[in-house]
């Protein structure tokens, strides 16, 4: 006759906790790794966007009476200031991975005639900065961009 609470019943259920842990632990670890990985991706995306916005602001803040009186020369100086500021805003380890060509460029504005816009675009290839994690899709490059409109009289 078996008594309730005997040691036979407890021994039989002893390995269940280990089995449950073996099933649940990999899923929980995968979720934590995914949260950390996508947190890094979103942080990099935000960093690029903020740096592009800061570069675009630098084009607006550039002194209007500086260097030359020619409008084309002033526009080129503002574009250079936008690109330089955008790259200087980033940490050096990330700025070194971004291609320098075409960071800031003057483009025609769609809304008003006679005005020029400055577009700042930062492209960061993710393969050089993020580790490869199996079965975790990540875009090939992260892009941050900003655009400001320059009026011809300033």
């Amino acid at each position: 006759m078996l008594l309730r609470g005997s040691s036979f019943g407890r021994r039989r259920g002893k390995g269940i906790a280990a089995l449950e842990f073996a099933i649940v632990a990999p899923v929980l670890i995968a979720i934590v790794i995914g949260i950390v990985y996508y947190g890094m991706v979103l942080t990099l995306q935000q960093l690029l966007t903020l740096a592009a916005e800061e570069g675009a602001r630098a084009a607006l803040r550039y002194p209007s009476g500086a260097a030359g009186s020619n409008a084309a020369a002033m526009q080129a100086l503002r574009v250079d200031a936008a690109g330089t500021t955008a790259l200087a805003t980033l940490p050096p380890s990330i700025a070194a991975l971004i291609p320098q060509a075409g960071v800031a460029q003057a483009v025609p504005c769609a809304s008003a005639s006679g005005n020029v816009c400055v577009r700042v675009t930062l492209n960061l290839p993710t393969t050089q900065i993020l580790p490869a994690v199996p079965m975790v899709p990540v875009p090939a490059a992260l892009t941050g961009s900003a655009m400001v409109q320059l009026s011809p009289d300033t």
Side-chain angles (χ1 to χ4, degrees):
M1 172 168 159
L2 288 175
L3 299 174
R4 289 188 177 180
S6 70
S7 64
F8 178 71
R10 278 185 263 148
R11 273 187 277 143
R12 204 172 93 193
K14 199 172 188 178
I16 296 297
L19 180 64
E20 289 173 354
F21 180 76
I23 292 171
V24 173
V27 174
L28 291 177
I29 290 171
I31 289 172
V32 169
I33 288 173
I35 289 170
V36 170
Y37 197 76
Y38 281 117
M40 289 174 32
V41 169
L42 292 174
T43 300
L44 287 171
Q45 178 65 48
Q46 186 69 17
L47 182 69
L48 291 174
T49 301
L50 291 175
E53 289 173 357
E54 192 61 35
R57 274 189 219 100
L60 288 175
R61 288 188 308 236
Y62 195 79
S64 59
S69 59
N70 184 0
M74 180 57 68
Q75 177 182 329
L77 289 171
R78 285 180 159 189
V79 169
D80 289 341
T84 303
T85 303
L87 290 173
T89 304
L90 293 171
S93 59
I94 294 175
L97 299 174
I98 294 177
Q100 306 290 326
V103 168
Q105 51 189 311
V107 296
C109 291
S111 61
S113 62
N115 290 344
V116 174
C117 288
V118 174
R119 179 187 306 145
V120 180
T121 306
L122 300 170
N123 293 316
L124 177 66
T126 57
T127 56
Q128 296 178 352
I129 198 163
L130 293 173
V133 177
M135 299 176 60
V136 177
V138 176
L142 297 174
T143 303
S145 64
M147 184 183 295
V148 293
Q149 179 178 343
L150 303 176
S151 61
D153 57 350
T154 59

